[in-house]
Amino acid sequence: MQRTIYDEDHEAFRQSVKEFVDRTLAPRAEEMIRDHVIARDIWEEAGAQGFFGLSIPEEFGGAGIDDYRFNAVFAEEIGRFTNAAGSCFGIHADITAPYLVHLGTEEQKQRWLPDVAAGKKIMAIGMTEPSGGSDLAALKSTAVRDGDDWVINGSKTFITNGHQCDLAVVAVRTDPTKGAKGISLFVLEAGMEGFTKGNKLDKVGQEESDTSELFFENVRVSNDHLLGPEGMGFIEMMKHLPQERLGAAVGNLANARQILAETIQYTKDRKAFGQPIGTFQHNKFKIAEMVTKCEVTQAFIDQCVIAHSEGTLTAVDAAKAKWWASEVQCAVLDECVQLHGGYGYMNEYRVARAWRDARVHKIWAGSNEIMKELIGRDLGL
């Protein structure tokens, strides 16, 4: 079914992203997997192309575009390449940078946003803690007043871009008596005394992304590192999570559709018992089911993208998109592995890596069980 949410400007932008993928990312795919990181010069090239500054105001080095559809195009095209690159770039530009844009003071924006837009300062966001998982309100990292400063202690885990981040927006507890209303956000800079990074975590998939723990031991910061009003951190995270979840849904589905297209071609080329394996009725039916499931899912996600562009996307609909897209992606990629047979289990085939990369999407950005909880509550249950 023809998609109608994008116009000529969006498609021209899509072409520039495709060229970046073909010119820069694809030739260095094995290097990124081997080194477990996206090299700095790749970040800076993406920044120079304007991919990281879409929603950053022009006076701070961005494009100042108030149209989320451009963000969605970028997420789709990077997602078609790999979910790992999509995760790293998305955390930086689509998830963390908006906190600075919407909550930062004029001085904070001038200090950090130009380098963020240029890809010269890589951003991470520190929400998840070793003991907390999806329960953000129960975080234990603290920031305690000491004169005019704050002293931060605690740790975060599973932090995408954590190992090479220059800036980290971290959620900490500033008032232990107020529950969720006692959580605030701070911006920490790499190199601050007491702020250290763990080794890159050894993950099942998404090897290109550097994921690590962050540790805070008596990190002393002045009040100009407080992001937004004190005590409003949890509320602001809840406001920003729908965009994170929608972005994940967009990239996840784009990845599934790309690998499915490659699998369909494989079933046309691969022969068994004297005929292409795609012509066997069982395989043909499986492919028909997957194509239909992806297109139906695409229709819902496209409506969510439109709603978000218009400022009307609800947290519940974003939860539906995140949950359903990750379920569809994992189901489709599992069938694609099966259709490849033994070759589908070989790392040299993109389908194998995509299958491993996708599994985490049922867990992060709020586990799918949490997504269902949000949907159920909205139904009065």
Side-chain angles (χ1 to χ4, degrees), residues 156-365:
K156 303 291 179 179
T157 194
F158 309 138
I159 306 303
T160 301
N161 298 340
H163 194 72
Q164 65 173 344
C165 70
D166 302 289
L167 300 171
V169 174
V170 299
V172 296
R173 188 169 299 284
T174 48
D175 189 334
T177 69
K178 293 185 178 179
K181 294 182 179 179
I183 293 172
S184 304
L185 301 175
F186 286 82
V187 180
L188 302 187
E189 298 178 272
M192 285 181 162
E193 186 175 355
F195 175 25
T196 59
K197 305 168 184 178
N199 294 327
K200 298 173 191 174
L201 297 175
D202 185 13
K203 307 187 299 295
V204 171
Q206 301 213 11
E207 294 170 300
E208 304 96 310
S209 71
D210 72 284
T211 307
S212 70
E213 295 173 293
L214 303 179
F215 303 100
F216 321 121
E217 184 176 358
N218 296 325
V219 181
R220 181 175 292 272
V221 298
S222 57
N223 207 53
D224 61 3
H225 284 263
L226 176 66
L227 186 62
E230 181 183 344
M232 292 294 289
F234 184 80
I235 293 172
E236 292 299 334
M237 286 190 289
M238 293 305 102
K239 287 181 182 177
H240 285 76
L241 277 171
Q243 177 160 309
E244 177 177 352
R245 289 164 180 165
L246 177 57
V250 169
N252 294 351
L253 183 60
N255 178 260
R257 296 191 73 175
Q258 176 62 33
I259 299 301
L260 176 55
E262 294 173 16
T263 299
I264 291 172
Q265 186 59 53
Y266 178 85
T267 66
K268 293 177 179 178
D269 297 336
R270 174 74 169 169
K271 290 183 171 59
F273 305 102
Q275 64 188 92
I277 63 172
T279 62
F280 298 139
Q281 187 182 67
H282 175 81
N283 293 343
K284 188 187 302 181
F285 282 10
K286 281 291 183 183
I287 292 169
E289 291 170 7
M290 289 189 287
V291 167
T292 303
K293 187 177 291 186
C294 283
E295 292 195 12
V296 170
T297 303
Q298 189 73 71
F300 180 75
I301 291 177
D302 283 354
Q303 288 303 117
C304 288
V305 169
I306 292 172
H308 193 46
S309 297
E310 296 174 347
T312 60
L313 179 69
T314 67
V316 172
D317 282 343
K320 293 174 185 174
K322 186 271 176 185
W323 161 57
W324 186 249
S326 62
E327 292 286 347
V328 168
Q329 180 189 27
C330 287
V332 166
L333 294 179
D334 194 68
E335 292 289 359
C336 288
V337 168
Q338 193 71 17
L339 286 166
H340 276 78
Y343 292 106
Y345 206 63
M346 300 295 108
N347 279 327
E348 65 185 278
Y349 280 76
R350 273 169 49 83
V351 64
R353 287 174 170 164
W355 175 63
R356 288 187 294 131
D357 289 351
R359 184 58 183 83
V360 72
H361 296 148
K362 295 183 182 183
I363 300 170
W364 68 16

Side-chain angles (χ1 to χ4, degrees), residues 109-132:
K109 294 176 184 178
Q110 291 284 4
R111 192 190 336 171
W112 292 315
L113 282 177
D115 283 342
V116 169
K120 294 179 179 179
K121 286 192 183 297
I122 299 171
M123 296 198 75
I125 188 161
M127 294 185 187
T128 304
E129 295 189 347
S131 62

Side-chain angles (χ1 to χ4, degrees), residues 88-124:
C88 291
F89 291 161
I91 286 286
H92 171 78
D94 208 39
I95 295 170
T96 313
Y99 283 89
L100 285 180
V101 172
H102 295 133
L103 298 175
T105 64
E106 188 73 14
E107 188 277 332
Q108 287 173 329
K109 294 176 184 178
Q110 291 284 4
R111 192 190 336 171
W112 292 315
L113 282 177
D115 283 342
V116 169
K120 294 179 179 179
K121 286 192 183 297
I122 299 171
M123 296 198 75

Side-chain angles (χ1 to χ4, degrees), residues 3 6 10-22 25-26 51 69-83 85-86 89 247 250-255 258 350:
R3 300 171 68 192
Y6 298 120
H10 299 112
E11 294 305 332
F13 177 68
R14 185 188 302 279
Q15 188 58 40
S16 68
V17 181
K18 285 183 176 180
E19 290 171 0
F20 168 71
V21 170
D22 293 341
L25 293 183
F51 299 145
R69 290 177 294 175
F70 285 97
N71 304 55
V73 167
F74 184 65
E76 285 181 3
E77 293 308 315
I78 300 300
R80 286 191 174 101
F81 171 62
T82 66
N83 274 142
F89 291 161
V250 169
N252 294 351
L253 183 60
N255 178 260
Q258 176 62 33
R350 273 169 49 83

